[in-house]
Amino acid sequence: MQQTEEFRGLAEDEVLRLRKQYGWNRLDLKERHPIVRSLVRALKEPMLLLLILASTIYFLTGAYAEGIFMAAAIVAVSFISLYQESKSEKALKALKAYAQPKAKVIRGGVEAQVATEELVPGDIFIIQEGEIIPADGVVVRANDFTVNESLLTGESLPVNKSEAQNDMVFQGTLVASGLAICKSTATGTRTRMGQIGKSLQQIQEEKSPLQIQIQDFVRKMAIGGLLIFVIIWIINFSKTLSVVDSLLKALTLAMSILPEEIPVAFATFMALGAWRLIQLGIIVKQTRTVETLGSATVICVDKTGTLTKNEMELAMIYDFDSQDLYEKPDFHKAKLVIEIAMWASEPIPFDPMEKALHEAYKSTHPNDERQTSKMVREYPLAGVPPFMTHVFEDKDEKRVIAAKGAPEALIKLCNLTSIQKETIKEAFSRMASQGFRVLAVADVSDQNTELPEKQEQFRFSFKGLVAFYDPPKDNISTVLANFYKAGVAVKVITGDNTITAQTIARAINFKGSEKYTTAEELMTMSPDQIQETVLNVNMFTRMFPEAKLKIIEALKRSGNIVGMTGDGVNDGPALKAAHIGIAMGSKGSDVAKEASALVLSNDDLSGMVEAVAMGRKIYNNLKKAIQYIVSIHIPIILIVFLPLVLGWIYPAVFTPVHVIFLELVMGPTCSIIYENEPIEKNIMNEKPRRFTKTFFSLRELSISILQGLVITAGLCFVYWYALQHDGSLASVTSMVFVTLITANIFLTLTNRSFYYSMLTTLKYKNRLMPIAIGLTVLITFTIFSISPLRTFFGFELITSAQLLVCISTGFISVTWFEIVKWRKRALTRN
C-alpha cells in the first residue's frame, strides 16, 4: 500500500468554503429553543400552577399587594428553574464537546486529528481497524479492508472494500479489519446515517433506578398534596362558608407539601457532577453514570495500556536457528527473525508492537524491501490463542508468508520435536519472567504453496520469539492502593500469558496474582463454577472477548457493581456489559469508546480513583440535600396543618406569601449550596454503598423525619410562648417565622455531615454557604426593619427577649443531632 504522503487533501481555505456550503458534519435536526422548552416544562410544574392560582385569587379579591408578590414569586421561581436548567445545559454541552470523536485527516499534505464534526465533503480521511467511519466516502486506498455495516443493513458479516471497485463507506459503520484512505462524499444530514438520524434521536434514554425512585417519591407527594388540599378546603369551607379564605388556606398547605426541589436538585447534581469529572479529564457519556460511580465494588482492568504505559520496546529476541537470546545492541544478529516479524505486521503499523518491529527492521536492514513489495493476502488475528498471517509479493512475484502471535498457537502448527518445544518454552519462560510480552514468529518456506482458506492450514517453520517490554505506569501502585483502601476490588483481565501478567502484577503490588485462571479453563466451567471463580480469583489470563464477557456477567450476578477498563475492539462487549465501561481516550479504539460509559482522556487509571471519589461525593451531597428538604418541609407542613385541623386560636399562622418566601430560601440551599460541598475526608475509607440503597431507606428517612418533628415541636413551643406573652396573630406569626428561619440556617449547617460535628464542617471550604446564610439573615432583617414590608408579611417588631427565645429554640431544635453524631463517632473509635 502506498504511503499517505501522496495525498495532499484540502487546503484550509477550501475546508472553510465547503463547510459554509455544506455545514457541519452532524445531525442538525430542528428542535424547540431551549428557553421555550424550559418555560413549557416549568409551566407544567405543580408549584408554579399553585402560585398562578394563588396570585389570581389575590387579584380577584382586591389584595393587590399579595397578588403582585405572588406574581413576582412566579418570576423568581421560573428564574431559579431556568438558571438551574441553564447550568445543567451548559454542563451537558461541555460534556458533548469533550466527548466529540476525532477523525484522522490529510489536509495540505499533513496528517491531523480533527473533531469528526469538522469534516467536509472532499476531505481525505484515514480509518483503521476498530474505528467508526466519520463520513460517507469512497475508498481510494485499502489494505485488507473490511467494514461491519450491520447498523445500516442488518448483515453481521464484514464486507470487503477496495479501491478497485470504487467501494463506498458509510458514516457510523465499523472498520472490522485493515486500513483505508477514503475521500469524503457526504457529511452531516446528507449521509446515509443522516437520513435515519431523526428516528435515532427520538429514542428516549432509559431512566436510572435513582431517577425513577425520586420521580415516584415526588409523584406520591404531589398526589398526597392534592388530596390534603381538597380535604382542607372542604373542612374550612364547612366552618367559614368562605370559598376564597378556604381556598387560600388549602393552597398554603398544598404549597408546603410539594417537594419540587428534589427533581431539580437531582438533575443539577448529575449534570454538574459530569461537568466536574470533565475537569479531571474523565468524559462521562451519560450523566446517570455519575450516580453509579460511588457504588463501584470491582474494577476489572486490562494489563496493556492500563497498568502499563503501552509503549512497547523491543527488548529481547530468541533466534530458533542459533538457539541464542539477543538484547540491544545485538539485534542485528537476529535479522531474519526481525524481518519475518515485520512482514507479519501491518504495512502501515498502528499497533505499538508493530511500530517497534518496523523500527527494528529499518535499523537492521539497509536494503529496505518494503517499498517494492505489496500485500496480496492477510489472514487477520484469529484463533485461541490468536495469531495472524500476511502474504507479500515483490515485483518478481517472490513471496513472503509470515506469521506472528501467541507462542502456544504457532508451536502447535510447526513441525517441532518435543526437545525443540521444550527449548522454545524455556526461552519463552525466561523472557516472560522478566515481564516481557512475547510473540512467536514463523514463516512458510515453500514458494509454490497455494494460499489456503484458513491460516491454520499452512506448514509453518518456527523462526523465533520477539519480546517487548511495556513498563508499568509510574503511579499504578498508588492507584491500586487507593482502590483497596476504598474497598474496591481490582481484577486483571488480560490477553497476555500468565507468567508475563504475574511478573508485572508483582512489580506493582497487585493483590492476588498467585491465583489465576485462563480463558480456556473458564470456558469449560459451569455457571456456578464461574461465579465462584470470579469471586475468589483476581488474575485472568489469555482472555478473549467471550471469556471477558462471562467474567463481567458473573460478577454482576453476584451483586457487584462492575467497572471495566479497555481500549481494544475485543473489549467492546465487556465494556458494554459492565455497569461502568471505561475506555482509554488517547489510545483506545472507537469501538471501546462507543461501548463505554466513561472515557479517561489521558489513559490514566488514577482518574478512576478520582471518579469513584467524585461519585461518592455527589451521592453523599445529594443525600444531604434531599434529607434537608424532607426535614425542613415537615415543620412547614405541620405548622400550617395542625392549627387548621386542631382548631387553634390562630388557624392560619402562615399564608401562601410566607410559604413561597420559605421555598425561595430553601431551593438554592439544597440544589446549589449542597452541590458545592467538598468531599468528606473519610469517604474514600468507607466500603462502597450498595447500589440498591437510597436515601429513601427507612433508617435515613427516619432521621430526616425526626429532625423535622423536633423542629415542629420547637415551633409549637414558640407558638404557645407568643400566645402567653402577647397574644396577637402578628406576634405569633413573627416569632414562629423567625424560629423557622433560624432552624433552617442551623439545619443547613448541621446536615453538612451526618458524622462530623458542626465545628468541623465549619472549616469546609464552600464559598456559597456563608453567602446564602448571610443573604437569608439580611433579607429577614430587612423585612422586619422596613415598616411596609413588615405590614405586608403580617409581622410586628419583636423584643430582644422574644428574639432570644426564637433563636434559642431554633438552635436547640436542630443541634440536638450533634449529640447523635458525637455518639456515632465514639462508637466508631471503639
Side-chain angles (χ1 to χ4, degrees):
M1 181 173 174
Q2 297 181 40
Q3 298 297 314
T4 59
E5 284 80 353
E6 68 178 273
F7 298 99
R8 293 291 304 168
L10 299 172
E12 196 58 39
D13 58 340
E14 291 178 292
V15 172
L16 295 174
R17 178 179 58 80
L18 289 165
R19 184 173 300 128
K20 188 174 181 180
Q21 181 179 350
Y22 294 103
W24 294 90
N25 182 30
R26 58 192 180 206
L27 299 182
D28 286 318
L29 301 174
K30 290 183 179 180
E31 61 175 24
R32 187 176 291 167
H33 195 279
I35 294 179
V36 176
R37 187 180 67 241
S38 300
L39 285 172
V40 170
R41 192 181 299 130
L43 287 170
K44 295 178 182 177
E45 289 296 323
M47 176 58 75
L48 205 63
L49 295 174
L50 291 176
L51 282 171
I52 292 169
L53 180 58
S55 179
T56 303
I57 292 170
Y58 278 128
F59 278 118
L60 290 175
T61 57
Y64 297 115
E66 287 85 352
I68 291 169
F69 177 81
M70 297 305 281
I74 292 170
V75 174
V77 169
S78 301
F79 174 78
I80 291 170
S81 297
L82 289 172
Y83 172 72
Q84 291 294 87
E85 194 155 326
S86 71
K87 285 188 75 176
S88 300
E89 287 280 346
K90 284 179 182 177
L92 293 174
K93 280 182 181 178
L95 182 64
K96 187 177 179 182
Y98 274 90
Q100 174 71 242
K102 303 290 185 182
K104 187 184 291 184
V105 298
I106 303 173
R107 287 179 178 169
V110 178
E111 280 189 27
Q113 289 270 1
V114 300
T116 297
E117 67 174 19
E118 294 181 18
L119 261 64
V120 295
D123 254 327
I124 302 294
F125 60 87
I126 305 169
I127 43 177
Q128 60 194 30
E129 181 179 322
E131 294 183 347
I132 294 170
I133 295 171
D136 287 4
V138 61
V139 177
V140 293
R141 288 288 185 272
N143 175 22
D144 192 48
F145 184 60
T146 63
V147 179
N148 185 326
E149 297 182 337
S150 58
L151 186 67
L152 294 174
T153 65
E155 174 58 54
S156 60
L157 294 175
V159 180
N160 282 298
K161 303 278 184 177
S162 71
E163 69 268 25
Q165 306 296 324
N166 290 323
D167 285 330
M168 295 289 297
V169 293
F170 302 102
Q171 184 186 56
T173 56
L174 167 68
V175 181
S177 66
L179 179 146
I181 299 175
C182 304
K183 184 174 183 178
S184 171
T185 57
T187 57
T189 54
R190 293 176 178 83
T191 63
R192 187 174 295 188
M193 180 64 72
Q195 303 305 308
I196 59 173
K198 192 166 186 177
S199 61
L200 287 175
Q201 285 208 348
Q202 287 171 350
I203 298 172
Q204 295 293 316
E205 185 179 312
E206 185 181 347
K207 289 182 172 64
S208 69
L210 183 55
Q211 202 171 358
I212 291 169
Q213 288 173 342
I214 284 176
Q215 289 182 347
D216 184 57
F217 178 77
V218 173
R219 182 176 56 83
K220 287 176 180 175
M221 291 293 287
I223 292 170
L226 179 63
L227 290 174
I228 293 173
F229 168 80
V230 174
I231 292 168
I232 294 299
W233 185 82
I234 292 171
I235 291 173
N236 274 278
F237 182 73
S238 65
K239 291 180 179 179
T240 64
L241 299 178
S242 171
V243 175
V244 173
D245 181 65
S246 302
L247 200 54
L248 284 173
K249 287 175 180 175
L251 279 172
T252 305
L253 187 59
M255 285 180 180
S256 67
I257 291 173
L258 282 178
E260 82 289 343
E261 306 97 334
I262 293 179
V264 174
F266 176 82
T268 303
F269 273 64
M270 294 301 111
L272 292 181
W275 179 80
R276 291 183 193 282
L277 286 168
I278 286 174
Q279 310 310 302
L280 299 174
I282 304 156
I283 300 166
V284 184
K285 292 172 63 182
Q286 294 179 332
T287 55
R288 60 182 179 174
T289 306
V290 174
E291 74 173 79
T292 317
L293 281 168
S295 302
T297 56
V298 178
I299 300 290
C300 298
V301 299
D302 186 24
K303 181 183 77 68
T304 306
T306 303
L307 302 180
T308 61
K309 295 180 179 179
N310 198 17
E311 296 173 357
M312 294 292 185
E313 298 176 2
L314 189 60
M316 190 177 286
I317 300 172
Y318 167 69
D319 189 325
F320 178 66
D321 291 335
S322 67
Q323 298 292 303
D324 287 323
L325 281 166
Y326 298 106
E327 299 181 27
K328 282 184 178 181
D330 295 326
F331 285 163
H332 64 279
K333 296 178 181 179
K335 289 175 62 176
L336 180 61
V337 180
I338 292 174
E339 184 177 338
I340 300 301
M342 184 279 295
W343 289 124
S345 303
E346 293 293 337
I348 302 177
F350 50 88
D351 178 84
M353 289 187 294
E354 294 190 339
K355 287 181 178 178
L357 290 170
H358 273 264
E359 286 296 319
Y361 174 82
K362 185 178 179 180
S363 64
T364 56
H365 291 72
N367 297 322
D368 193 341
E369 297 180 9
R370 291 177 293 181
Q371 302 301 323
T372 58
S373 300
K374 64 177 182 178
M375 185 186 291
V376 295
R377 181 72 182 271
E378 177 176 15
Y379 297 87
L381 191 68
V384 180
F387 72 104
M388 64 194 300
T389 306
H390 287 171
V391 182
F392 283 84
E393 281 186 0
D394 63 13
K395 58 185 178 180
D396 298 323
E397 297 186 353
K398 180 183 176 183
R399 281 182 180 173
V400 176
I401 304 174
K404 68 173 171 45
E408 306 98 297
L410 288 176
I411 287 172
K412 288 179 183 178
L413 297 173
C414 295
N415 187 20
L416 299 167
T417 66
S418 57
I419 294 174
Q420 288 173 323
K421 289 179 181 178
E422 284 302 315
T423 304
I424 294 168
K425 288 177 181 177
E426 285 178 14
F428 166 78
S429 296
R430 182 174 168 182
M431 291 171 157
S433 64
Q434 296 181 59
F436 298 156
R437 187 170 183 181
V438 185
L439 298 179
V441 177
D443 72 351
V444 177
S445 54
D446 186 359
Q447 286 287 315
N448 299 317
T449 187
E450 291 187 9
L451 300 182
E453 184 181 340
K454 296 182 178 180
Q455 60 182 343
E456 288 85 357
Q457 295 171 305
F458 280 117
R459 294 174 60 84
F460 288 110
S461 297
F462 197 86
K463 292 301 176 186
L465 301 171
V466 287
F468 303 86
Y469 184 56
D470 184 14
K473 290 182 176 176
D474 298 331
N475 65 342
I476 198 64
S477 295
T478 304
V479 171
L480 293 177
N482 287 333
F483 275 130
Y484 296 143
K485 188 178 178 182
V488 180
V490 183
K491 297 183 184 292
V492 171
I493 303 178
T494 179
D496 267 359
N497 66 78
T498 303
I499 298 174
T500 301
Q502 286 181 320
T503 303
I504 292 293
R506 284 192 290 269
I508 61 176
N509 300 319
F510 174 79
K511 292 182 180 179
S513 62
E514 63 284 348
K515 291 175 69 176
Y516 68 90
T517 297
T518 65
E520 190 175 353
E521 294 166 344
L522 193 79
M523 297 304 284
T524 62
M525 296 180 184
S526 67
D528 289 341
Q529 289 174 319
I530 293 175
Q531 188 109 344
E532 183 180 353
T533 300
V534 299
L535 293 177
N536 297 312
V537 175
N538 290 339
M539 175 78 70
F540 298 87
T541 59
R542 282 298 187 218
M543 287 287 131
F544 46 83
E546 294 82 0
K548 291 180 182 181
L549 191 57
K550 282 186 178 290
I551 293 169
I552 299 300
E553 289 174 341
L555 285 168
K556 286 168 69 177
R557 282 197 304 273
S558 63
N560 283 286
I561 301 299
V562 186
M564 167 76 190
T565 70
D567 56 6
V569 178
N570 62 354
D571 293 320
L575 288 170
K576 193 76 174 175
H579 293 103
I580 311 165
I582 308 147
M584 300 296 126
S586 60
K587 296 179 180 176
S589 67
D590 282 358
V591 173
K593 293 173 189 175
E594 188 71 18
S596 66
L598 298 180
V599 179
L600 301 180
S601 59
N602 56 3
D603 292 5
D604 190 349
L605 191 62
S606 65
M608 267 311 295
V609 178
E610 295 174 324
V612 169
M614 183 67 73
R616 292 188 180 186
K617 170 195 162 184
I618 290 166
Y619 173 82
N620 215 33
N621 287 346
L622 180 59
K623 184 173 72 172
K624 292 173 190 175
I626 294 183
Q627 287 191 264
Y628 159 82
I629 292 168
V630 172
S631 296
I632 200 64
H633 264 270
I634 288 172
I636 296 173
I637 293 167
L638 293 179
I639 204 62
V640 173
F641 181 75
L642 291 176
L644 283 169
V645 174
L646 300 179
W648 291 3
I649 188 170
Y650 299 126
V653 180
F654 286 165
T655 66
V657 168
H658 299 109
V659 172
I660 197 59
F661 176 83
L662 292 167
E663 292 285 344
L664 291 173
V665 169
M666 295 187 306
T669 299
C670 67
S671 58
I672 298 176
I673 297 174
Y674 276 120
E675 193 282 328
N676 202 50
E677 280 287 271
I679 188 169
E680 290 197 49
K681 61 184 179 182
N682 69 329
I683 206 165
M684 286 300 283
N685 297 332
E686 298 173 357
K687 290 183 178 180
R689 70 176 176 89
R690 292 177 59 189
F691 190 55
T692 53
K693 180 184 175 186
T694 75
F695 25 67
F696 297 122
S697 67
L698 180 62
R699 180 180 172 277
E700 286 168 327
L701 258 184
S702 63
I703 291 173
S704 299
I705 292 169
L706 184 58
Q707 283 182 313
L709 290 175
V710 175
I711 295 171
T712 304
L715 297 182
C716 291
F717 165 75
V718 169
Y719 185 107
W720 171 84
Y721 176 90
L723 282 177
Q724 300 301 313
H725 291 78
D726 187 309
S728 70
L729 174 61
S731 175
V732 172
T733 302
S734 300
M735 289 189 69
V736 169
F737 185 85
V738 171
T739 305
L740 187 55
I741 289 290
T742 304
N744 177 71
I745 291 170
F746 284 110
L747 182 69
T748 304
L749 294 171
T750 296
N751 282 18
R752 295 181 79 184
S753 175
F754 288 87
Y755 181 81
Y756 292 109
S757 72
M758 192 191 303
L759 294 175
T760 300
T761 58
L762 281 172
K763 300 172 187 176
Y764 287 0
K765 291 183 179 179
N766 183 349
R767 58 187 178 82
L768 296 178
M769 186 67 74
I771 292 172
I773 292 174
L775 281 174
T776 301
V777 173
L778 179 63
I779 293 169
T780 305
F781 177 79
T782 302
I783 289 171
F784 275 89
S785 300
I786 300 174
S787 181
L789 285 177
R790 193 167 61 245
T791 304
F792 172 77
F793 278 92
F795 295 153
E796 66 176 31
L797 286 174
I798 56 178
T799 65
S800 299
Q802 288 174 323
L803 181 62
L804 182 63
V805 169
C806 294
I807 293 174
S808 301
T809 305
F811 176 79
I812 294 168
S813 65
V814 171
T815 53
W816 63 270
F817 192 64
E818 292 296 315
I819 299 171
V820 176
K821 290 195 284 185
W822 172 80
R823 186 170 178 273
K824 186 177 181 180
R825 292 194 300 275
L827 290 173
T828 303
R829 284 193 294 268
N830 295 333

